[in-house]
Amino acid sequence: MQSGLTELKVLGIVPFGHASASRGHFALRLSPPAWPAWQPGQFIMLRPASFGLEIPWGRPFSICHTTSRHLICFFRVEGRGTKLISELRPGDPVHVWGPLGRGFAVETDTPTLLLAGGMGIAPFVGYVARHPQPWNLGMLFGHRDPPGCYPVDNISEHIQVDSLREHEPGDLDNFIFSMQEKITDCAAQNGLALACGPMPFLRAAKELAAKANCRLQISIEKRMACGVGACLGCVCKPTPKSPHDTGQPIQTCLHGPVFWADEIEI
């Protein structure tokens, strides 16, 4: 599902945790778009007017949440583009196209495990807020920065969140063990697991889900320039189980970013 290009206004930028000049976490609030509908897990392409000729392409952002008052995206400063976005001011215009791609499955009566790694927590804010039966949800969140750098409170006010920080040697092993336990329990309940985060995190989730015979959807992080399948900069390789398998790579922006784990190679 996607809509055309529209211009939105910046309503505000809220820093999370400690924001440095080179690396900070922010919630970007934009004026509400005139979308008929969207799915948690979908994304937008965003290009501020301040990019000028210096940065020709937009930047992809997971849709964190939308209401009648605003559209929220959560991001971390990583380079020139996100640095300029972090410096936007209320009233600044931004060009947005979306919602783009495919979102996460919602199975109302099914126990659902949310697996978030770092910035992968962003799409789950909207997922939890929009879920008709949030008591069927639970989250395991792994992160390196302090918890105050992430919108954890927006989720924990609705569901149980188990948060583990990778802060010292051994923490990663503890997190993998916790993820294994959660996925095994999810499989025993005929549940559904959803994962979003960096690629090593997704690979671990996919491997553990396969061993436990747990249904898993993953949201793939890829560099994107256009967001509509034209530039072929975000391709990934489908498995023979994928309905999109033609022996050729496929565009993540069109066929994802959410895939069933057994339908994509990571």
Side-chain angles (χ1 to χ4, degrees), residues 206 218 220 236-239 241-242 250 252 259-266:
K206 179 177 179 177
I218 55 176
I220 301 293
C236 57
K237 186 175 181 181
T239 69
K241 290 187 177 182
S242 171
I250 59 175
T252 300
F259 298 92
W260 289 101
D262 61 356
E263 293 181 350
I264 202 77
E265 293 187 8
I266 59 174

Side-chain angles (χ1 to χ4, degrees), residues 9-14 27-30 88-91:
K9 298 293 185 181
V10 174
L11 300 180
I13 295 186
V14 180
L28 171 64
R29 295 177 58 244
L30 299 172
L88 292 172
R89 295 292 179 262

Side-chain angles (χ1 to χ4, degrees), residues 111-133:
T112 302
L113 171 63
L114 310 180
L115 300 169
M119 295 300 295
I121 195 173
F124 291 133
V125 174
Y127 189 93
V128 170
R130 291 165 56 98
H131 198 281
Q133 296 184 14

Side-chain angles (χ1 to χ4, degrees), residues 182-214:
K182 295 284 188 181
I183 289 176
T184 300
D185 182 60
C186 182
Q189 299 180 67
N190 295 316
L192 170 67
L194 311 175
C196 185
M199 201 62 76
F201 169 81
L202 297 179
R203 291 192 185 103
K206 179 177 179 177
E207 180 179 349
L208 293 171
K211 289 180 179 178
N213 196 28
C214 180

